[in-house]
């Protein structure tokens, strides 16, 4: 009784080392006995060969902790020791990250020698490596939930330099947009156009699950020196473990949050959310979660909600986010795409039909929407955009008849107007990936394009249709 208080203090203290022993390895996960670490904590497995492997606790099965290694699970044997290293994974952030290419742990990978197109050996741009005195502080990769009342309203447009987006689906500063398409329709090229042309001082780009050869192509061809000079790029290729791919998305979001908290307007691009969901599915199923919608465990959709809600406007700055979603077989009802659409503030649908006609960017105006556009553009701009989309819809309705040569002009003046305007509409919406158009110029071209349509409207807003002599006589008979 004399030392009761001291005993309670000792009972609550954390030992100098918490360790356990690997007892089982199945698939992507390992089970350890004696490791009393919380879910999400960082651990280290010391193999008998002397190698060390970082891991994370993802759950428990009875009294055994289930851990997922960050590296290759080969080499782990029963009886290997596992040590608890910390509760919350963190990433070191600071202005020194601008212009750098990082791996899934937030460490630079752009110090390796690269060959330029002329065949000469070229070194990457000099910069302060992560972890050096240039770094300001450490941030948790899972973020901190923001009070929704502390978020600013989205009231200012964000010019992207892409005419289709600026004219018909204007983005607001702090808006979250999805880019939906199947494989090979131009998502990465469109991301590069946005990264180069967006009117924001900093871009944070996460390439998750990409092919290894496409990383350098994106950096040099799509992003270019101009875009890379103000960007932070985080890379986790498709051959990396699932936990690293998920971690790369979390780290990229934390870096974007750091610059937003400094009052910056950040453009955040993640390619792709689908590969993050697939990585989480691997982890969840290996940990014993039951498969739900199309084989995705519940933790996948929970992760998507937490990840996507971290971007957007903040107390001072903003994160304008673009998430690509790779839908299976161009299916609009893909479970990942359907879940993402319910969270974000709009979406751009890339059409394979438009891409097959060499119409780039292949954004389908009839399948895309920006939910905050009415709050960030003028009334004239909004009306012009809606009229242009209506003209495209009328033209789509008779496209097959036109190709067959069966359409007879004069049946509907509004359709005739849409047919005459289609060459100018296509000229506005088509754009080379190296081309950038000022926001004011895009709005001016849009309004000039729809003015002839407005002049064709009557006082009540309906079309002015000339009545034939037979129609006038039928009216007199009535």
């Amino acid at each position: 009784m004399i030392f009761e208080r001291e005993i309670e203090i000792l009972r609550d203290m954390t030992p100098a080392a918490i360790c356990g022993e690997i007892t089982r390895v199945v698939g992507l996960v390992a089970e350890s006995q004696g490791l009393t670490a919380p879910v999400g904590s960082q651990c280290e497995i010391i193999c008998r060969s002397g190698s060390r492997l970082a891991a994370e606790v993802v759950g428990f099965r009875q009294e055994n902790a289930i851990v997922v290694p960050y590296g290759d699970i080969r080499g782990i044997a029963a009886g290997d020791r596992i040590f608890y290293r910390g509760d919350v994974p963190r990433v070191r952030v600071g202005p020194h990250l601008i212009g750098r290419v990082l791996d899934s742990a937030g460490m630079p990978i752009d110090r390796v020698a690269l060959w330029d197109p002329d065949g000469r050996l070229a070194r990457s741009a000099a910069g302060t490596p992560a972890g050096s005195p240039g770094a300001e502080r450490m941030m948790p990769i899972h973020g901190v939930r923001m009070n929704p009342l502390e978020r600013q309203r989205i009231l200012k447009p964000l010019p992207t330099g892409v005419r289709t987006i600026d004219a018909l689906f204007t983005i607001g500063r702090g808006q979250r947009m999805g880019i939906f398409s199947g494989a090979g329709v131009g998502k990465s090229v469109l991301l590069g156009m946005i990264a180069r042309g967006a009117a924001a001082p900093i871009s944070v780009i996460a390439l998750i699950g990409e092919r290894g050869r496409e990383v350098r192509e994106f950096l040099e061809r799509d992003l270019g020196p101009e875009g890379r000079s103000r960007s932070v790029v985080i890379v986790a290729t498709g051959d990396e473990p699932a936990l690293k791919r998920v971690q790369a998305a979390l780290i990229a979001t934390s870096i974007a949050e750091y610059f937003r908290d400094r009052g910056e307007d950040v453009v955040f691009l993640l390619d792709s959310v689908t590969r993050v969901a697939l990585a989480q599915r691997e982890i969840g199923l290996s940990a014993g979660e039951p498969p739900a919608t199309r084989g995705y465990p519940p933790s996948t959709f929970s992760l998507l909600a937490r990840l996507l809600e971290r971007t957007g406007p903040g107390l001072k700055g903003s994160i304008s986010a673009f998430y690509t979603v790779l839908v299976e077989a161009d299916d609009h009802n893909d479970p990942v795409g359907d879940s993402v659409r319910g969270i974000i503030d709009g979406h751009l649908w890339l059409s394979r039909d438009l891409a097959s006609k060499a119409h780039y960017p292949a954004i389908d105006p009839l399948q895309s929407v920006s939910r905050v556009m009415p709050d960030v553009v003028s009334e004239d701009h909004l009306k012009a955009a809606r009229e242009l989309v209506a003209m495209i819809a009328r033209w789509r309705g008779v496209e097959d008849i036109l190709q067959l040569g069966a359409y007879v002009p004069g049946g509907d003046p509004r359709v005739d107007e849409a047919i005459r305007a289609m060459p100018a509409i296509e000229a506005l919406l088509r754009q080379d990936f190296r081309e950038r158009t000022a926001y004011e110029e895009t709005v001016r071209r849009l309004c000039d394009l729809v003015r002839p349509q407005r002049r064709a409207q009557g006082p009540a807003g309906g079309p002015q249709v000339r009545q034939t002599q037979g129609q006038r006589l039928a009216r007199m008979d009535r």
Side-chain angles (χ1 to χ4, degrees):
M1 297 298 292
I2 299 176
F3 300 103
E4 183 177 358
R5 182 173 177 273
E6 287 76 8
I7 291 174
E8 289 296 328
I9 294 175
L10 290 173
R11 185 176 294 143
D12 294 336
M13 289 178 63
T14 301
I18 298 177
C19 66
E21 183 178 286
I22 299 296
T23 59
R24 186 184 181 194
V25 175
V26 179
L28 303 177
V29 302
E31 291 187 17
S32 65
Q33 187 176 18
L35 182 67
T36 57
V39 173
S41 59
Q42 302 296 289
C43 303
E44 185 178 34
I45 301 174
I46 301 179
C47 302
R48 293 179 183 178
S49 61
S51 61
R52 296 171 179 265
L53 190 62
E56 181 177 324
V57 179
V58 298
F60 291 91
R61 184 175 288 118
Q62 295 179 353
E63 296 181 356
N64 294 343
I66 303 174
V67 298
V68 177
Y70 282 101
D72 194 345
I73 203 167
R74 289 178 297 181
I76 302 177
D80 288 344
R81 306 289 284 176
I82 178 170
F83 289 86
Y84 168 72
R85 296 304 188 198
D87 286 335
V88 182
R90 298 176 181 271
V91 59
R92 194 176 296 274
V93 295
H96 70 286
L97 296 177
I98 300 176
R100 304 307 304 272
V101 182
L102 312 177
D103 63 8
S104 58
M107 301 301 293
I109 60 174
D110 55 352
R111 281 193 173 277
V112 296
L114 299 176
W115 289 93
D116 64 8
D118 298 330
R120 295 172 298 182
L121 189 64
R123 296 282 176 178
S124 60
T128 307
S132 67
E136 284 193 356
R137 60 191 177 96
M138 301 287 289
M139 287 191 65
I141 69 171
H142 292 282
V144 179
R145 184 178 180 275
M146 179 179 291
N147 186 337
L149 298 181
E150 293 181 355
R151 293 185 183 271
Q152 306 174 68
R153 287 192 60 193
I154 301 175
L155 299 174
K156 297 180 180 179
L158 174 71
T160 64
V162 182
R163 289 195 294 268
T164 305
I165 298 177
D166 291 344
L168 304 181
F169 313 105
T170 309
I171 308 298
R173 294 186 183 273
Q175 183 176 354
R176 300 162 302 164
M177 287 288 286
I179 301 176
F180 293 73
S181 79
V185 189
K187 297 186 303 298
S188 298
V189 176
L190 180 58
L191 284 183
M193 295 174 67
I194 295 172
R196 289 194 310 272
I202 298 172
S203 298
V204 179
I205 305 170
L207 304 178
I208 311 298
E210 289 288 332
R211 304 176 185 90
R213 67 167 181 84
E214 291 182 340
V215 174
R216 187 172 173 184
E217 286 182 3
F218 178 83
L219 292 174
E220 298 181 1
R221 182 194 64 190
D222 300 332
L223 190 57
E226 180 185 358
R228 185 174 172 181
S229 64
R230 56 187 179 90
S231 300
V232 183
V233 183
I234 298 90
V235 176
T237 54
D239 59 340
E240 296 194 38
L243 194 59
K244 283 193 173 183
R245 281 175 271 154
V246 174
Q247 184 186 41
L250 297 173
I251 284 177
T253 308
S254 294
I255 294 173
E257 287 175 325
Y258 160 75
F259 287 109
R260 178 186 64 186
D261 294 343
R262 297 179 62 203
E264 303 282 0
D265 289 321
V266 184
V267 170
F268 179 71
L269 305 103
L270 194 153
D271 184 17
S272 70
V273 172
T274 305
R275 295 190 177 107
V276 176
L278 291 173
Q280 182 61 33
R281 181 171 70 175
E282 291 182 34
I283 297 171
L285 295 178
S286 298
E289 282 191 71
T293 308
R294 291 197 190 178
Y296 287 97
S299 63
T300 299
F301 303 102
S302 175
L303 172 68
L304 291 178
R306 294 195 310 270
L307 182 65
L308 272 58
E309 279 294 335
R310 291 172 60 182
T311 55
L315 191 60
K316 294 185 293 184
S318 65
I319 301 176
S320 304
F322 295 84
Y323 298 97
T324 66
V325 181
L326 186 65
V327 294
E328 297 180 4
D330 297 336
D331 183 9
H332 288 251
N333 298 318
D334 178 79
V336 174
D338 197 47
S339 177
V340 171
R341 273 199 304 270
I343 300 171
I344 57 179
D345 309 312
H347 59 272
L348 305 172
W349 180 267
L350 302 189
S351 168
R352 193 173 297 277
D353 291 337
L354 291 177
S356 65
K357 299 174 184 177
H359 182 117
Y360 294 105
I363 301 174
D364 189 346
L366 305 186
Q367 300 289 340
S368 306
V369 65
S370 173
R371 292 175 182 153
V372 304
M373 181 178 177
D375 297 329
V376 299
V377 300
S378 64
E379 192 68 25
D380 289 340
H381 182 179
L382 185 62
K383 288 182 179 179
R386 289 175 175 173
E387 288 180 14
L388 190 69
V389 172
M391 292 171 69
I392 296 174
R394 288 193 288 269
W395 181 83
R396 290 269 185 94
V398 298
E399 183 180 7
D400 294 338
I401 302 176
L402 285 172
Q403 292 177 351
L404 294 174
Y407 178 76
V408 179
D412 188 339
R414 296 178 301 173
V415 175
D416 296 341
E417 182 69 25
I419 294 173
R420 288 193 296 269
M422 275 312 297
I425 293 175
E426 289 188 348
L428 174 67
L429 302 185
R430 286 192 182 194
Q431 187 173 350
D432 186 79
F433 75 95
R434 291 177 293 266
E435 185 182 358
R436 184 194 308 171
T437 306
Y439 178 74
E440 294 77 11
E441 173 68 13
T442 298
V443 176
R444 183 190 64 78
R445 291 180 60 177
L446 170 67
C447 294
D448 290 344
L449 185 58
V450 300
R451 280 195 185 108
Q453 173 72 3
R454 288 179 177 175
R455 286 196 294 268
Q457 302 290 326
Q464 292 180 342
V465 182
R466 292 185 177 181
Q467 290 185 338
T468 64
Q469 184 176 3
Q471 289 173 329
R472 287 196 297 269
L473 291 175
R475 186 177 179 183
M476 292 174 63
D477 292 340
R478 288 196 300 268

